């Protein structure tokens, strides 16, 4: 089993392989989004980005990390809400007023 640095996980270290295997890290789903149109129209005072369980393929208990693009660097952020429903569909929301939309990436493990 090896250890590699991965900036897209919380502590930065990723254990790869199992036993004596040299296989790579677990599959990840990454979706980039912009600061405007990808958030859609506001509803109930919130903008939302949704990812279906079928799209991310990580089941009903995925780990989700959200990153904001700050001048080309990705900083981990906490949106207003991060919701995983019983089917594994993911929604992240931010406020409409003040408008707190941002460009970034969602990492689903």
């Amino acid at each position: 089993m090896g250890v590699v640095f991965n900036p897209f996980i919380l502590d930065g270290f990723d254990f790869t392989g199992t036993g004596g295997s040299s296989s790579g890290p677990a599959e990840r789903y990454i979706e980039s989004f912009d600061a405007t149109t990808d958030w859609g129209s506001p509803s109930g005072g919130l903008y939302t980005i949704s990812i279906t369980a079928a799209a991310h393929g990580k089941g009903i208990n995925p780990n989700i990390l959200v990153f904001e693009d700050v001048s080309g660097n990705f900083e981990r952020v906490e949106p207003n809400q991060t919701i995983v429903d019983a089917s594994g569909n993911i929604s992240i929301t931010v406020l409409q007023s003040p408008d707190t939309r941002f460009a970034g990436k969602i990492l689903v493990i």
Side-chain angles (χ1 to χ4, degrees):
M1 180 180 306
V3 177
V4 293
F5 180 75
N6 183 339
F8 292 110
I9 60 174
L10 186 58
D11 64 6
F13 293 96
D14 191 10
F15 293 93
T16 61
T18 56
S21 171
S22 61
S23 63
E27 290 289 320
R28 288 158 170 74
Y29 176 87
I30 299 174
E31 183 170 314
S32 298
F33 54 89
D34 65 27
T36 55
T37 57
D38 288 336
W39 289 93
S41 298
S43 176
L46 299 171
Y47 285 102
T48 303
I49 292 178
S50 298
I51 303 172
T52 65
H56 67 68
K58 303 302 170 215
I60 61 171
N61 294 311
N63 289 316
I64 304 156
L65 298 173
V66 181
F67 297 89
E68 181 176 4
D69 183 347
V70 180
S71 301
N73 296 311
F74 289 92
E75 297 179 11
R76 185 159 185 244
V77 295
E78 292 293 330
N80 190 54
Q81 289 183 316
T82 302
I83 299 169
V84 179
D85 69 16
S87 298
N89 300 315
I90 298 168
S91 297
I92 65 167
T93 63
V94 295
L95 298 175
Q96 176 186 6
S97 182
D99 186 346
T100 56
R101 293 177 291 177
F102 59 94
K105 294 181 181 185
I106 300 172
L107 173 67
V108 184
I109 302 171

